[in-house]
Amino acid sequence: MQMSSGGVGVGGGGGSKVMSPKQVLTVVLVVFCALSFVKLLLLTGSSSPAAAARRGRASAWGNGTDVGDGGLAPKEAALLRSVVAARAPCRLLVFGLSPQLAALAAVNAGEGADNGAEDADSARRSLRGGSAASAASAAKIHQVRYRDAAGEAWPLLRRARDSPACRRPTGAVRRSGCHLALITTLPREVLDARWDVLVVDGPSGAAAGEPGRMGAIYTAAALARASAAGGREAVDVAVHDVHRTVERWYAWEYLCEDNLAAAKGRLWHFRVAGGGPPDAFCSTGPAQIFTQIPLPSASPETGAVLEDGDGDRAVGLFIASGAKRLILINEKRQTRQLDLVSAPNFLEDKNLESLSAQIIINLLATENLESLENCHIGDSWLEDQKGGRKFPGQNPDHACWAHRSATRPPPTDRPVRKPLPPAMYGDTEPAAAAAAERTAFRRAEKQYKLYKPLKPKGGRARSKPGGGGGGGGLEDLSAVVDFHALLAAAAGGGGELPAGIGRRDVAGFDLFCFLDRPGFYFIPGALSIEEQCYWIRESLKTFPQPPNRTNLTALYGPIFDLLTAAKSGKILVEVGNPNDQERSEQNSDGRKSNSFKFLEDTEIHKGEVCRSTAATTLVRKLRWSTLGLQFDWSKRNYDVSLPHNKIPDLLSALAKKMAIPAMPSGEEFKPEAAIVNYYGPSDMLGGHVDDMEADWSKPIVSISLGCKCIFLLGGKTRDEVPTAMFLRSGDIVLMAGEARECFHGVPRIFTGSDQAEISALVPQLSAEDDSFILNYIQNSRININIRQVY
Ligand SMILES: O=C(O)CCC(=O)C(=O)O
Ligand SMILES: [Fe+2]
């Protein structure tokens, strides 16, 4: 790669022809380069920037925990790969250059997403264009000059907050008047392109004197907003090293807490949608600083108490360097301590202003403080490092901080329906990742996601409601409710129902319910094998047809007859050179031809084609399609202005029939929209509440097809321990009334012949014409959920 051969900033590996980003840029790697000549030598002499960063990381700037290896940890790399794979092939911009980052080029070209292609050689091969996949993975590398040292982060942010040009996220990035925007060093093709995924893992920012990531994060945020503008799909932005002050600050400031979709280790993944206020990046506003007085460096064990004007409502903070805790003091002057494990070197940072700002960041990450408009400095406190004793009355000359929370949503339990891909494939729920980790729902998700069968043919789990509640290890599925096993036991004349589970006959339906979850109904085996096969075929053949939209629409425009193309081995090829503007107009129409079309392999003339993807690959990349009223994932509502068909008659009839047990008496369900979810082997759907329909007394009718999965039904907050249950092909779940307010998700699907439990489908799908579908469903699950919107 360029770094090792000493040539920082050599052009891309996609061949000699310069191609527009719109056409072909699957990856642009932006190499960080020097702040100084010395640094340039250092970098060019290194085989990886991570190594360079390690060498340069002499000071405790940022955080001492990354001194070991500045590269991506395996779990971080996995999240990043899944983000790219979910959108691949896409326009991918990476700030930073390392073999791991370069390997994203291969993932973007459809290679190595599953096998963890972090191998430097394969990355180099794909970047150089030497491999067969090079046409698809053509990458360009640009040299970028980062002027600002990480140590300047705080003054730069302060200036940016005062500057209207920096607060404005709209308009052409190229014309940005903000000093943080990297407009003079980035080429126009980068500034003008529409990006799908942006990754910030450079420049190093590892020491106060090294180039910092302020400009990279700001520019990535601006590019993301511009790329998602006009109703286009939200843009994925990943920032690495968020345990460090600068990355954290700037990510919160410009990528916004509300956009945080997943977090893993030191990697945050945001989904940035278009729209939003024209004069601010984040709709919740930035962290606000009311007064800012540096903490005294001489005394690391000092803190400050903040009070609102009348003294009876105070929120204080106290920082103890040894204990590394933030202590919040509430209105009753009770203290609450928060571990700052995510920022262990909190007080070692000698930049006092940044320290102060970091306090805010930590508050943001952990707490939702009340607004303190009139805060003034009250007491200060000292804490004995060991015992935590408090000593009031010393040095009151400290910072007064507050975070403006008035415009923010309540802290955790506001139902948030995140777009399925790629947030659903990430590892952490939205908002403060650390806090989310602590919820019972999250723990259960993790438990089942990590589940590995000890003995493949082990005994079937017995059921017990209230699952996830400790006891068993990762291999324990004994708490998963198995309604089919309960049916079988009952048919055999035995088996009382476990406590908390009821079995009812409602309107001729034999169904199960949970006594403490009114409105939730489980109808095991509701569909015959023939019906299941019919709906699997429809899900792949008819449901993704335009004007229905799918996750592929934003990238390729409407795709007609995808299944037929896949069955006949066709390839989707980008033709002509339309500009993006035209294409998006065509997309919203949903019927006009677009710039992609299916061709036979033999029709493709090598060298003429810029982007191509096999139809079979595209079917595997399907993550959702929307029927009836179209759901807009970025705005999280139904966009009635989008062209749509009504729900197909047969599906509508089925939904009406199956909804009966959950409907208010005398009313008929009106199927107006449906979401079809397609799950591959390692996909999951994170906990969420579906809250975009007007009337929650009407059920969601949710049909399971294909591989077995675990479904979690939680309570109205993530803190309630969810109940886990198996969903199999042909099962139907209804959620109405109170159950509509409950968090639910799918942490795990089971593939493979012994676990998927779809053998009954095989004879029905064994005709030649169904072989593609059979192959697909053996590793996939499909869920069709039908909703009444109004
Ligand atoms: O896949 C499932 O069973 C659940 C899907 C779901 O909850 C949703 O799409 O909102
Ligand atoms: Fe849902």
Side-chain angles (χ1 to χ4, degrees):
M1 195 178 300
Q2 283 71 12
M3 301 298 279
S4 51
S5 61
V8 178
V10 177
S16 53
K17 221 166 53 166
V18 175
M19 289 169 278
S20 117
K22 290 167 218 148
Q23 278 179 280
V24 73
L25 272 188
T26 54
V27 176
V28 172
L29 290 166
V30 180
V31 180
F32 66 83
C33 95
L35 198 66
S36 70
F37 182 63
V38 174
K39 193 54 61 187
L40 185 66
L41 288 182
L42 190 81
L43 293 176
T44 53
S46 154
S47 60
S48 92
R54 274 198 295 280
R55 261 174 275 154
R57 205 174 281 140
S59 98
W61 170 263
N63 195 306
T65 53
D66 65 342
V67 168
D69 182 3
L72 292 156
K75 60 183 182 177
E76 297 163 353
L79 172 55
L80 206 46
R81 282 198 305 274
S82 76
V83 169
V84 174
R87 311 250 342 224
C90 66
R91 298 167 173 89
L92 166 65
L93 176 66
V94 182
F95 291 82
L97 183 56
S98 70
Q100 285 176 309
L101 294 173
L104 293 176
V107 176
N108 198 24
E111 309 158 16
D114 304 323
N115 62 12
E118 290 171 47
D119 151 53
D121 284 340
S122 80
R124 278 185 201 111
R125 273 198 306 278
S126 71
L127 280 175
R128 282 189 184 137
S131 77
S134 61
S137 67
K140 288 188 166 193
I141 300 182
H142 292 286
Q143 176 181 0
V144 179
R145 225 159 263 286
Y146 296 97
R147 281 183 324 243
D148 301 315
E152 293 299 304
W154 172 240
L156 286 170
L157 183 58
R158 212 167 32 188
R159 225 179 103 199
R161 284 180 171 181
D162 289 342
S163 152
C166 292
R167 290 201 300 266
R168 194 179 314 115
T170 50
V173 180
R174 172 164 45 95
R175 291 198 208 95
S176 170
C178 179
H179 57 281
L180 292 172
L182 300 171
I183 52 169
T184 51
T185 183
L186 286 175
R188 264 189 78 159
E189 63 176 324
V190 169
L191 292 169
D192 289 348
R194 293 216 168 98
W195 300 100
D196 303 307
V197 180
L198 295 118
V199 178
V200 180
D201 196 10
S204 83
E210 290 195 18
R213 294 188 189 162
M214 301 79 72
I217 294 173
Y218 180 87
T219 310
L223 287 171
R225 274 289 287 266
S227 301
R232 280 180 289 269
E233 190 172 352
V235 173
D236 296 286
V237 185
V239 179
H240 191 226
D241 294 319
V242 292
H243 59 305
R244 302 192 310 208
T245 310
V246 174
E247 284 73 4
R248 233 166 212 266
W249 269 359
Y250 278 74
W252 282 124
E253 187 89 9
Y254 296 114
L255 291 164
C256 319
E257 185 184 11
D258 283 357
N259 294 333
L260 187 60
K264 198 71 193 154
R266 298 164 302 166
L267 188 79
W268 277 347
H269 164 215
F270 298 86
R271 277 182 69 78
V272 178
D279 56 351
F281 277 82
C282 303
S283 51
T284 52
Q288 249 198 7
I289 303 164
F290 290 89
T291 316
Q292 188 244 322
I293 308 163
L295 289 163
S297 56
S299 170
E301 293 173 287
T302 51
V305 172
L306 316 176
E307 287 189 357
D308 63 357
D310 52 28
D312 63 9
R313 191 159 142 262
V315 178
L317 58 86
F318 179 91
I319 312 114
S321 69
K324 296 182 179 106
R325 277 171 303 177
L326 185 66
I327 301 177
L328 300 172
I329 304 166
N330 69 11
E331 305 93 90
K332 295 183 185 135
R333 293 188 179 260
Q334 293 160 331
T335 58
R336 196 143 52 88
Q337 310 192 358
L338 301 168
D339 276 324
L340 297 173
V341 283
S342 59
N345 274 8
F346 196 68
L347 281 191
E348 283 166 32
D349 189 337
K350 293 291 181 280
N351 181 329
L352 294 177
E353 288 184 322
S354 76
L355 168 61
S356 303
Q358 190 162 2
I359 294 169
I360 287 200
I361 298 310
N362 280 293
L363 289 176
L364 275 172
T366 51
E367 282 297 304
N368 220 20
L369 293 183
E370 292 296 320
S371 174
L372 291 173
E373 297 294 342
N374 302 311
C375 75
H376 69 256
I377 295 162
D379 293 322
S380 70
W381 302 76
L382 286 181
E383 185 182 71
D384 175 302
Q385 261 181 298
K386 287 163 249 126
R389 278 181 294 132
K390 291 182 225 94
F391 302 95
Q394 287 230 324
N395 191 3
D397 214 18
H398 297 154
C400 179
W401 297 98
H403 170 241
R404 186 178 63 198
S405 63
T407 55
R408 291 155 53 83
T412 46
D413 294 328
R414 181 165 160 261
V416 172
R417 173 65 146 97
K418 284 284 162 187
L420 301 187
M424 71 190 265
Y425 310 112
D427 203 78
T428 304
E429 278 302 300
E437 284 287 335
R438 286 195 292 273
T439 66
F441 199 97
R442 181 73 193 115
R443 279 197 299 274
E445 281 181 325
K446 212 162 178 171
Q447 174 190 351
Y448 293 117
K449 190 176 170 190
L450 297 176
Y451 163 81
K452 296 241 166 33
L454 272 185
K455 317 171 242 149
K457 299 245 183 267
R460 170 74 53 75
R462 276 288 300 138
S463 49
K464 179 158 66 76
L474 293 178
E475 67 290 337
D476 186 2
L477 291 188
S478 63
V480 183
V481 178
D482 187 340
F483 288 109
H484 285 257
L486 293 181
L487 269 186
E496 266 186 26
L497 286 179
I501 293 185
R503 185 171 172 190
R504 309 260 183 281
D505 183 330
V506 186
F509 290 92
D510 183 8
L511 46 77
F512 288 95
C513 56
F514 294 107
L515 305 181
D516 62 348
R517 289 278 170 264
F520 179 89
Y521 304 95
F522 189 108
I523 313 174
L527 299 182
S528 69
I529 301 294
E530 290 74 22
E531 286 172 307
Q532 291 169 47
C533 292
Y534 176 81
W535 291 117
I536 292 170
R537 287 190 199 98
E538 287 295 288
S539 299
L540 291 173
K541 186 174 174 201
T542 317
F543 295 166
Q545 286 284 75
N548 296 346
R549 301 192 323 157
T550 77
N551 58 304
L552 304 174
T553 311
L555 197 58
Y556 301 100
I559 301 177
F560 289 89
D561 304 324
L562 176 59
L563 181 69
T564 314
K567 284 181 176 174
S568 55
K570 289 204 173 148
I571 295 168
L572 190 71
V573 170
E574 185 168 28
V575 289
N577 183 19
N579 67 39
D580 276 4
Q581 187 58 35
E582 275 170 29
R583 210 173 82 203
S584 70
E585 280 161 13
Q586 288 163 346
N587 285 356
S588 61
D589 175 277
R591 282 225 165 251
K592 284 185 196 162
S593 66
N594 58 41
S595 53
F596 288 87
K597 72 175 185 196
F598 284 119
L599 293 179
E600 303 281 353
D601 198 16
T602 49
E603 294 173 280
I604 299 174
H605 307 293
K606 304 272 177 283
E608 284 177 18
V609 167
C610 302
R611 272 168 86 184
S612 64
T613 309
T616 50
T617 309
L618 291 173
V619 175
R620 288 268 163 213
K621 284 180 191 296
L622 263 182
R623 290 291 171 263
W624 53 263
S625 60
T626 41
L627 321 185
L629 289 176
Q630 296 292 295
F631 193 79
D632 182 330
W633 297 100
S634 57
K635 300 199 193 93
R636 291 186 67 250
N637 60 22
Y638 291 93
D639 187 341
V640 290
S641 68
L642 287 171
H644 60 273
N645 291 339
K646 65 184 185 44
I647 299 286
D649 288 344
L650 270 182
L651 187 62
S652 182
L654 175 67
K656 280 183 185 165
K657 183 176 94 182
M658 301 313 297
I660 291 172
M663 281 298 284
S665 68
E667 290 188 45
E668 189 180 60
F669 183 63
K670 293 196 206 85
E672 287 163 331
I675 296 174
V676 186
N677 295 310
Y678 305 85
Y679 298 80
S682 56
D683 294 345
M684 64 173 291
L685 172 57
H688 65 277
V689 174
D690 299 290
D691 57 350
M692 281 303 135
E693 295 76 26
D695 181 355
W696 291 11
S697 71
K698 308 295 181 320
I700 290 181
V701 179
S702 184
I703 303 171
S704 286
L705 300 165
C707 293
K708 184 177 74 174
C709 76
I710 290 180
F711 181 83
L712 290 179
L713 176 68
K716 294 182 187 173
T717 75
R718 287 177 208 271
D719 294 326
E720 282 183 54
V721 175
T723 300
M725 67 200 84
F726 290 118
L727 289 186
R728 294 180 176 81
S729 197
D731 293 342
I732 289 185
V733 157
L734 307 176
M735 283 189 283
E738 283 200 34
R740 288 288 310 250
E741 297 173 55
C742 293
F743 280 87
H744 59 277
V746 178
R748 174 69 184 246
I749 81 157
F750 296 91
T751 52
S753 49
D754 55 334
Q755 294 190 71
E757 300 190 29
I758 52 166
S759 52
L761 300 176
V762 177
Q764 287 287 323
L765 295 172
S766 53
E768 166 103 40
D769 196 39
D770 281 331
S771 66
F772 182 89
I773 290 179
L774 178 60
N775 191 282
Y776 175 90
I777 206 66
Q778 278 168 334
N779 286 305
S780 311
R781 172 175 183 265
I782 298 174
N783 163 266
I784 309 169
N785 57 80
I786 305 126
R787 298 140 188 256
Q788 174 166 339
V789 177
Y790 298 108

